[in-house]
Structures are given as C-alpha cells and as structure tokens.
Amino acid sequence: MSGLKDARLIVVKVGSALLVSDDTGKADRAWLTAFAADAARLRARGQKLLVVSSGAVALGRRRLGLGRRVLTLAEKQAAAAAGQSLLMHAWEEVLEPVGLHTAQILVTRDDTEVRHRFLNARATLETLLELGVVPVVNENDTVATDELRYGDNDRLAARVAQMVGADLLVLLSDVDGLYTADPRRDPAARRLPVVADITAEIEAMAGGANADHGVGSGGMATKLAAARIAGAAGCATLITLGRRAAPLQAVEAGEPSTLFEPHTTPAAAYKTWIAGSLAPRGVVVVDDGAAAALRLGKSLLAAGVRAVQGAFGKGDAVVVRDLAGAELGRGLARYDAEDARRILGLRSDAIEAVLGYGAGPMIHADDLALVRRAQETA
C-alpha cells in the first residue's frame, strides 16, 4: 500500500539526478514529460500536487561553463541564478500541454522556521493549490549561505509538506526503497515495504550520499531525516525509484517502494505544536458570541475581540480567553498586537480601510488549538 490513491495533498521531491541529463547537462525532457502525465492523472482525480524541484545549480553551471568541479559558494549562487529560469521553463514546457499551470516559489530556511514568514509562505502555497496550480518549490540558493541553507531538498520537501499539511511526501530516489543494506553492494539486502517507526536500527540501514551522480546532494540518510520530519507532522513518506517513466503510476501499479507511516494526522500534529511547543506572547479576550463560535470550529474574527494584551508580532502564539478569564485555547495571530488593537470589534469588511491591508480573521481556525474541557473528555 503506497498511500498515493488516498492522499488529498501530495508533495513530490524531484532531485537533480532525475531532472538533469548526465549526457547533456540539460533538463531531461523525456522524463519530465512522463512525470507531467503522472501529475495530470493525479489532478484529474481531484488530488492536489506540489513539486519540490532541484536542478537550478546543475542547469546553471552548464550555462556558465563551470564544468563538474566542486563549486565555491559564490559560484553555486551564480549557477542557481542562471539556472532557475531554465528550471522553471522546463517545468512549464511539460505541464502546460497537459493543462496544468505552475508557479515558482523560492524559499529559505527562515520561511519555514520564522512564524510570520511561515504563515505568509503557507498562505501563498494554499492559494495556488486551491486555484489548481502546481507550485514548484526550490531553495533560494542565490541568497542562502551555508549557515542558512536546508542543505538538501529532501529536508526542504519535508518542511514544505509540514507547512501545507500534506498527507503524503514522495521522495524519488535512485533506489526503490529502504533496504537492510546497500543493494548495490550487498546482493542479500532486503527491501522494507513499510516502516512503522524510524528506530536506531532503521537509521543504521541508511548509507551515505549517492556517489553515482555528480549533481545530487542527498542520500538515504537525508531521506530518513525527511521522513522523520514529515512523520512528526502527520505526513506519510514514500521512497521509490524515480528513474522510470511516470514513477507515481508505477508505484500504484505495484512497483516496489517503502512507506513510512505517521502516527497522527497533519491537523492534529500542527495543533499539538501550537498548544504545547510555543510560548505565548500575548492574550486576546473575546466576547461570548466569539467564544461560542470558536467551540464550533470557527475562526476568531476581529468583531468578537474585546481586548488585546501584550506585544506580540504576526505569527506569534497568543492565549485566547473569554470575558471571565478562562482560557479557550492558543493560536497564531495573523496581525501584530498594535494592528490587532486598532481593529478589535470591527467587522471584517471594515479592516482594510483602517489598516490598508487585510480583511482576514484575527486567528484562523486552522491555527487555533482549543482547550478541551472536562465534559468533552469524560
């Protein structure tokens, strides 16, 4: 069981070794065309797809004549700048003919770790997905330094899957799953079809970076790290062979893979993180009507807010209390404290006239973890 058919939102990581031809140094048009047919098939049955794509540096280094030697950081950044347009052109050329639009999203590590940037990036990705677009995400290598990089797109893909609440992360690899040893060196190696927990024994099965390709930076160890990140966010991870036409369809047809199972759902994992992992920076007091709406799963609108306490920023965690002082839950504020005070009590359609932007809720329902009362758990 791969989880592909049941997933609502799928993130697929495509590495440089798949996307860039070893022989020409150009985008592998045949492989991309077959993958585009795969993507169109998923979209036709109502699934959303996001691609995390390597390849900008590999394509750019050929354009700049940098050869296959080890590049300095400045050369990598220059190659990324020169290759990013080639990368997006390659994706557009194969996705447009099958009726799919694409959009480029370049991120740095801060976009998944700084909360206000996380919210902004997530909102953009969610909007694109709702519009039926296939976002193509890559690390912004033109500005990222070694200290601020993800280091590989496996971990980037896991962070993006966490950000958008994906059900399944697919890592296309040079092998068809996780083996008990490196199958290229040990003929007795056995593939594991399903992994329930990433234990020390499982981690010991991972080898080093793939030395057979000169353009990739990942290996099985980074894929296990990505699977751990995704699993903590309630997202399953599938590792399978990428070097075949329509690799997703191949898995559904029974080709080998390894599925790493999560132990929670994306929504539950996210709300657990909000409730227990973030130190609140302020308090929002709501009226009885808003309190009742929150218990029904609604977002917190400015109209129901009666007081704002503290000096929090956009994306910071805040405690939500009712008029009696009881804690209703904790959530991520979509306005900073100063702007929140300016709009408290206002209808949503009046916010933009006051702030010059916005009209959304004070705290979105997706970003709010409610306190479960005793009668709810009895």
Side-chain angles (χ1 to χ4, degrees):
M1 181 177 179
S2 67
L4 273 167
K5 291 183 178 179
D6 300 323
R8 171 190 55 88
L9 171 54
I10 301 169
V11 173
V12 180
K13 182 262 181 176
V14 178
S16 298
L18 294 176
L19 193 141
V20 181
S21 169
D22 282 338
D23 296 331
T24 66
K26 296 181 180 180
D28 188 334
R29 180 65 181 268
W31 187 90
L32 282 166
T33 299
F35 181 85
D38 228 355
R41 183 176 57 85
L42 297 182
R43 288 294 305 161
R45 66 189 191 195
Q47 294 171 290
K48 297 176 182 177
L49 176 66
L50 185 154
V51 174
V52 175
S53 175
S54 304
V57 173
L59 293 170
R61 69 190 300 158
R62 180 183 183 277
R63 171 178 271 184
L64 298 180
L66 293 173
R68 298 178 68 83
R69 61 181 173 78
V70 176
L71 302 182
T72 66
L73 175 60
E75 287 174 332
K76 286 180 182 178
Q77 292 173 325
Q84 192 62 43
S85 60
L86 295 174
L87 178 64
M88 285 308 300
H89 182 64
W91 281 110
E92 289 171 350
E93 275 194 324
V94 297
L95 290 174
E96 291 287 347
V98 296
L100 297 177
H101 297 298
T102 187
Q104 173 183 268
I105 305 291
L106 296 177
V107 299
T108 63
R109 199 172 68 189
D110 282 351
D111 293 313
T112 58
E113 296 186 4
V114 177
R115 284 191 294 279
H116 74 275
R117 294 178 66 167
F118 171 95
L119 290 175
N120 289 337
R122 188 182 67 176
T124 299
L125 289 169
E126 287 177 342
T127 301
L128 289 169
L129 290 165
E130 287 299 321
L131 292 172
V133 174
V134 178
V136 175
V137 179
N138 195 7
E139 185 160 15
N140 193 352
D141 288 315
T142 60
V143 298
T145 63
D146 284 338
E147 294 78 13
L148 297 177
R149 296 183 71 247
Y150 294 95
D152 63 83
N153 272 4
D154 292 326
R155 275 180 278 242
L156 168 60
R159 292 297 186 191
V160 170
Q162 178 186 50
M163 177 186 290
V164 298
D167 307 293
L168 180 65
L169 167 64
V170 180
L171 301 176
L172 299 180
S173 180
D174 61 332
V175 292
D176 56 13
L178 175 66
Y179 282 73
T180 53
D182 189 337
R184 293 168 295 191
R185 297 176 173 84
D186 185 353
R190 177 174 53 87
R191 182 181 57 84
L192 304 179
V194 178
V195 174
D197 293 292
I198 302 177
T199 62
E201 181 183 6
I202 293 294
E203 289 181 330
M205 296 176 187
N210 180 7
D212 294 338
H213 296 283
V215 294
S217 62
M220 190 55 68
T222 66
K223 287 173 176 55
L224 291 192
R228 185 183 293 280
I229 293 169
C235 178
T237 298
L238 184 74
I239 298 177
T240 191
L241 184 65
R243 180 51 68 187
R244 55 188 171 199
L248 304 184
Q249 186 175 33
V251 169
E252 289 186 24
E255 290 297 323
S257 63
T258 297
L259 180 70
F260 294 80
E261 298 179 328
H263 296 287
T264 184
T265 66
Y270 181 56
K271 296 206 174 189
T272 298
W273 173 70
I274 291 174
S277 301
L278 300 177
R281 299 297 182 90
V283 175
V284 175
V285 180
V286 304
D287 62 25
D288 293 340
L294 294 181
R295 294 190 184 101
L296 293 174
K298 305 294 185 181
S299 297
L300 175 59
L301 304 181
V305 177
R306 290 294 169 262
V308 173
Q309 302 167 5
F312 53 85
K314 179 180 178 181
D316 282 342
V318 296
V319 175
V320 180
R321 299 188 184 279
D322 63 19
L323 293 174
E327 181 174 334
L328 301 174
R330 299 185 180 199
L332 303 185
R334 295 213 168 185
Y335 299 89
D336 63 32
E338 181 180 350
D339 284 349
R341 290 187 182 95
R342 294 174 62 192
I343 63 173
L344 63 85
L346 294 182
R347 291 169 50 92
S348 296
D349 56 11
I351 292 176
E352 188 168 0
V354 174
L355 298 181
Y357 73 95
M362 191 81 76
I363 301 174
H364 194 280
D366 291 344
D367 300 326
L368 179 64
L370 295 177
V371 173
R372 298 191 68 184
R373 295 174 297 178
Q375 58 265 40
E376 294 175 338
T377 57

